[in-house]
Amino acid sequence: MTDPDPAATRVLVLNSGSSSVKYQLLDMADGSRPASGIVERIGEGEVADHAAALKIVADELAAQGAGLDSPALVAVGHRVVHGGTRFTEPTLITDDVVAEVEKLVPLAPLHNPANITGIKVARRMRPDLPQVAVFDTAFHSTMPEHAARYAIDTATADAYGVRRYGFHGTSHAYVSRAAARLLEREPGETNTIVLHLGNGASASAVSGGVCVETSMGLTPLEGLVMGTRSGDLDPAVIFHLARVGGMSTDEIDTLLNKRSGLLGLCGDNDMREIGRRMAEGDRAAQLAFDVYVHRLRKYVGAYTAVLGRVDAIAFTAGVGENSAAVREAALRGLEGLGVEVDPVRNAVRGSASRLVSSGNSRVAVAVIPTDEELEIADQAYALVTDAAQAPSDWNIPLRNKYR
Ligand code: ADP
């Protein structure tokens, strides 16, 4: 493992979700992506379980001329959702690491089991190959204690691991650095608010490359309004629904995670459909949009106060990259905070990182397409090769990249 074949430059990135496995093969020598795909609907008939899904992934890779037995493979990088307080860095997977990740299942009952199965099957297929776990929570582990703590009884919190962990960390790490690069600044000297707005959504405050606050908490339910999740609410809503509504814990869990957010407010969770309905004067869709952008604006204000000085606000993921309307509405009226979106720039569609703020804006507003696969591959590659230089075009010493 310490002396990998220099010709081995490919990293397979596996993202084993609850009902799908996404894979991407990246060649770190030239930045190419020789293979990628997704196996969906795991557990629904044809694909019985994650082991069957991984078998299909292996077959598809072989069919694309990049089988798992390829000597060009240097590592497998696994996305793992919850690292608890135990895992704060990309970690070479051993039996002990798998056992530790299993202990974290109560914190992420929907996600970690699928991640673990992916790891186990991949290790069985290539026991000789280094496999690296990259944790969604890791980037947020630098949050100061005053941001990570909930104000509840400390003994109870500690007994059950109740604290704020944050998620989407791989994306927040990648996007905050990419935003600094777009501004031609050092990440270590750049303060950024990252708004990751996909189906799940989270904000982070990144000070000099280090995460100091994020909107998701013990689980991905806290914070912004999402496709189907409520985000922030008074915790007493839960007692009220149980006592007065007679709902069970599981029913409330499903309500807040699967039937709330944009979907709960207007019946649609896709921002494209909401935009279409708004254009027709649909009031429920308009209200859902308004609640969504109001929450975003509150977080931008709060994180501006947390950071003191903001250099960039970076929008990413499905909604953040594509919805000019959300970007415009969330930042409207923030000229007092030095934020001014340029309507013409903001309306331009594109797949590259770009600035959408006006020339007068003290704070740069950027659209940065996220690339979690590249980030996972970079981190895995750096770990197994002990690379001093970034393999991709970052031009940033890797060892600094993650500090
Ligand atoms: P995930 O969290 O599943 O990775 P994505 O980052 O792919 O999600 O974001 C998916 C969401 O992005 C969709 O539900 C939709 O609301 C939004 N979206 C995608 N394309 C557009 C678009 N052109 N305009 C507005 N919203 C979009």
Side-chain angles (χ1 to χ4, degrees):
M1 192 230 117
T2 36
D3 288 314
D5 178 352
T9 53
R10 290 179 169 185
V11 179
L12 175 64
V13 175
L14 286 179
N15 181 352
S16 308
S18 51
S19 67
S20 71
V21 175
K22 288 189 213 148
Y23 66 95
Q24 220 176 83
L25 184 65
L26 295 90
D27 196 318
M28 310 314 282
D30 59 10
S32 65
R33 309 205 187 190
S36 66
I38 178 167
V39 180
E40 291 179 285
R41 285 188 269 283
I42 297 171
E44 294 177 25
E46 242 170 84
V47 191
D49 53 23
H50 282 81
L54 266 292
K55 175 80 177 60
I56 295 171
V57 170
D59 291 346
E60 288 186 9
L61 283 168
Q64 296 177 63
L68 266 181
D69 54 355
S70 160
L73 263 185
V74 67
V76 180
H78 294 270
R79 174 187 181 217
V80 180
V81 167
H82 216 307
T85 48
R86 168 72 182 75
F87 296 105
T88 58
E89 305 241 307
T91 304
L92 191 68
I93 298 171
T94 61
D95 292 345
D96 285 350
V97 169
V98 174
E100 297 268 347
V101 174
E102 275 172 336
K103 281 192 207 147
L104 297 169
V105 165
L107 285 172
L110 293 179
H111 296 104
N112 273 29
N115 304 155
I116 292 164
T117 311
I119 289 171
K120 285 183 171 167
V121 176
R123 288 183 85 208
R124 230 176 290 139
M125 287 173 167
R126 276 297 302 270
D128 58 311
L129 195 64
Q131 312 227 359
V132 177
V134 176
F135 298 89
D136 246 22
T137 48
F139 183 62
H140 306 301
S141 65
T142 50
M143 267 194 290
E145 201 62 7
H146 60 251
R149 279 275 171 191
Y150 291 112
I152 66 170
D153 170 65
T154 303
T156 308
D158 289 349
Y160 300 106
V162 175
R163 58 188 282 118
R164 308 187 59 251
Y165 297 96
F167 299 88
H168 292 143
T170 309
S171 178
H172 287 279
Y174 176 87
V175 170
S176 57
R177 275 201 324 278
R181 195 167 74 136
L182 186 68
L183 269 55
E184 297 181 351
R185 297 173 66 123
E186 288 293 326
E189 291 162 9
T190 310
N191 290 354
T192 307
I193 297 174
V194 178
L195 302 170
H196 176 111
L197 312 177
N199 240 321
S202 61
S204 69
V206 182
S207 174
V210 174
C211 178
V212 294
E213 174 65 285
T214 193
S215 60
M216 285 176 167
L218 174 75
T219 77
L221 184 54
E222 190 178 346
L224 301 175
V225 177
M226 313 185 204
T228 66
R229 295 189 198 120
S230 62
D232 295 335
L233 42 74
D234 179 346
V237 168
I238 296 162
F239 321 141
H240 183 78
L241 291 175
R243 291 182 188 131
V244 181
M247 292 174 72
S248 69
T249 307
D250 284 348
E251 282 168 344
I252 300 172
D253 189 330
T254 303
L255 173 78
L256 299 181
N257 276 295
K258 304 243 167 82
R259 296 200 290 121
S260 295
L262 294 170
L263 182 73
L265 285 165
C266 77
D268 273 306
N269 62 334
D270 192 312
M271 200 51 91
R272 284 164 290 201
E273 183 59 17
I274 290 169
R276 202 187 55 73
R277 285 173 55 185
M278 280 160 59
E280 290 170 354
D282 186 314
R283 296 182 54 173
Q286 183 68 54
L287 178 64
F289 180 89
D290 291 346
V291 173
Y292 185 95
V293 298
H294 175 68
R295 186 79 51 85
L296 265 175
R297 180 199 307 273
K298 285 209 295 190
Y299 270 88
V300 169
Y303 287 8
T304 298
V306 167
L307 288 170
R309 183 199 85 227
V310 182
D311 300 305
I313 299 173
F315 286 87
T316 194
V319 176
E321 291 168 31
N322 293 298
S323 177
V326 165
R327 294 192 297 263
E328 195 275 326
L331 301 183
R332 190 185 304 149
L334 297 189
E335 292 81 8
L337 297 180
V339 181
E340 204 179 294
V341 172
D342 181 302
V344 177
R345 285 183 188 167
N346 189 39
V348 175
R349 300 189 58 82
S351 56
S353 294
R354 58 199 183 273
L355 286 176
V356 298
S357 40
S358 72
N360 297 330
S361 191
R362 190 154 42 76
V363 179
V365 181
V367 177
I368 309 271
T370 192
D371 195 339
E372 290 164 279
E373 285 78 15
L374 176 60
E375 182 68 23
I376 291 171
D378 262 359
Q379 295 196 17
Y381 186 84
L383 187 71
V384 303
T385 62
D386 210 26
Q389 282 293 315
S392 54
D393 63 349
W394 283 101
N395 218 9
I396 300 165
L398 269 177
R399 288 295 157 202
N400 298 342
K401 242 173 98 173
Y402 306 113
R403 300 288 130 109

